[in-house]
Structures are given as C-alpha cells and as structure tokens.
Amino acid sequence: GALAGALPLQVNGKGWLGRMAVSNEERYQRKLGIFGAQERQRLFRREYEHVVDHGTWLFSPYFGQSGSDTIENRLKTDLNTYLPDDILVKVDRASMLNSLEVRVPLLDHRIVEFACRLPLNAKIRDGSQKFLLKELLRDLVPASVVNRGKQGFGVPLKHWFRGDYRDFLREMLLSPEAKTAEYLRPDMTKRLIDAHQQGPRDLSNRLWALLWLEQWLRQ
C-alpha cells in the first residue's frame, strides 16, 4: 500500500480511457518504455522534475499525420528505431562474441520494400502476425515451427537481482558513490530494489535500466 502510493508501478496505457487520453506516439512509448511518466516524475529529484517528459520526440517523426493508420505507424517506427537500435545490436554483439557471421535475409532491402507495399491484412490477420510469411512456409517447415511464439533475448535478471547480484545491485545504486543519486531520489531507488527483492513483483527491467544508467554515469 505505502509503496504503491509512493511509486505507482502500474502498466501504463491500460483501459480505454487511458488509451484515448494520449497520442499514438505516446501510447507506443508507453508500451515500449520501462518507466511510466508518473514513475519518472517521482523518481527524479525535485530540481529535475521539470525536464522529465514522455519521450515521444523520439518516435514522433515516424507517426506522420494524425489519423493515419496506427498499426502501420507502429510498424514504421519499429523499422526505424527498435529494430536497428535494439534487436539487431544484440544479434551483432552476440554473434561477434562467438566469432559467428550472422545474416538477416528477411531484411534484404527488396524484401523490406515489398513488405512495406503490402496491405495490412497480408501482415496481420485474425490476430496472427507475419500472416503471409507463415502461409508461404506452411508446406516447407513443420507446423510447430510456423506457429511457435517468439523467442526473445531474455536473461534471468529477476533471479540474479534476488540472488547472486543482490548485494552488487545495492552497492552500485545505494552506496555513497552512486552517481544516479545526483539525479534520482535514493529513497525511491531503494523502494524499487526492496519491492523486487521482497517479491513477488518482478521489477528487474527497471532495476536493469537504473544499473546501466549508473554504469554510464561512472564512465
């Protein structure tokens, strides 16, 4: 109760009222982001509260004019931000670490240009994503592969921050040498760490973001 009142750890943009109250780019940022607007507002020290924004400036150029198709805008935004700055970076680093040469044939510019010209119902239909690609593959690969869900790049942060890296996390973010304390409220950082380590809520993605902010500030 007290923790929830001090730092609302809700999922942003849930419910029809919340969705109507924000722009398409802000709704996209809420879905992709880690901290909600209220969380950031409470997390930063008072002297920095005025510079905390929704971060929609990063995505606004890809959403075009209001009234254009929301899903197509999200696909375009993914193609220009999330894909080159996140997913492909992870593939590149992981493959280089293991001396592998990795190619991404579906990102051949001719395929991407063709996909961008397709109508939306060839990409998403009846809740199924990559609809046309799956239809093309049904006679070539087993159904268990075609219908399998996505396999992400997740690592067991939840368990690390409650186990082997429990003390390391506290030392980095709560010690007198913590650089994030210059910008963030240490009591709020501590509440996040305590809430995760006491369970059952999994706040590891937030703690991971703070840990890397701390590392970046130190360097």
Side-chain angles (χ1 to χ4, degrees):
L3 173 64
L7 187 62
L9 304 173
Q10 80 282 2
V11 176
N12 293 291
K14 293 289 186 180
W16 66 270
L17 186 60
R19 290 194 294 269
M20 289 180 62
V22 298
S23 64
N24 287 334
E25 47 263 57
E26 184 174 344
R27 193 176 307 123
Y28 178 90
Q29 194 279 336
R30 288 185 177 191
K31 182 176 179 61
L32 199 65
I34 294 174
F35 287 96
Q38 286 182 305
E39 289 180 285
R40 293 197 301 273
Q41 202 77 35
R42 293 174 182 268
L43 192 59
F44 276 86
R45 287 184 175 275
R46 188 173 300 278
E47 57 266 36
Y48 296 108
E49 285 181 353
H50 69 286
V51 298
V52 179
D53 68 349
H54 295 297
T56 57
W57 53 269
L58 180 63
F59 306 122
S60 295
Y62 307 107
F63 271 83
Q65 299 179 351
S66 60
S68 56
D69 188 88
T70 301
I71 298 178
E72 289 287 7
N73 282 337
R74 291 183 179 181
L75 293 173
K76 181 166 57 177
T77 308
D78 271 351
L79 186 63
N80 286 279
T81 60
Y82 184 48
L83 189 64
D85 296 330
D86 189 337
I87 300 301
L88 292 179
V89 174
K90 292 173 180 175
V91 171
D92 194 42
R93 291 178 180 174
S95 59
M96 286 193 297
L97 181 64
N98 293 278
S99 301
L100 295 174
E101 283 288 342
V102 172
R103 296 293 180 263
V104 190
L106 290 180
L107 290 184
D108 182 288
H109 73 92
R110 293 163 295 185
I111 296 178
V112 173
E113 290 164 2
F114 169 72
C116 288
R117 294 193 298 267
L118 289 173
L120 186 59
N121 67 357
K123 305 170 189 176
I124 303 174
R125 188 180 301 182
D126 298 327
S128 176
Q129 301 180 27
K130 301 184 180 71
F131 176 78
L132 180 59
L133 178 62
K134 290 178 180 179
E135 290 302 304
L136 291 171
L137 291 176
R138 289 197 185 280
D139 295 332
L140 301 175
V141 297
S144 60
V145 175
V146 174
N147 299 321
R148 186 176 62 186
K150 286 186 176 181
Q151 302 292 312
F153 293 97
V155 292
L157 292 174
K158 176 175 70 173
H159 304 293
W160 287 354
F161 290 156
R162 289 173 180 166
D164 292 345
Y165 290 94
R166 177 188 181 94
D167 294 336
F168 173 76
L169 182 68
R170 289 181 173 274
E171 179 183 340
M172 290 293 292
L173 296 178
L174 301 179
S175 71
E177 293 78 26
K179 297 295 184 182
T180 46
E182 299 177 24
Y183 307 98
L184 308 180
R185 292 177 54 184
D187 61 317
M188 289 295 151
T189 300
K190 185 177 184 301
R191 284 175 185 268
L192 275 174
I193 294 173
D194 289 344
H196 176 78
Q197 293 185 342
Q198 293 169 9
R201 304 197 65 177
D202 179 10
L203 306 176
S204 57
N205 61 339
R206 292 168 170 84
L207 299 177
W208 182 250
L210 295 184
L211 184 60
W212 277 105
L213 175 61
E214 176 66 34
Q215 293 279 32
W216 181 78
L217 290 170
R218 291 193 183 196
Q219 294 180 21

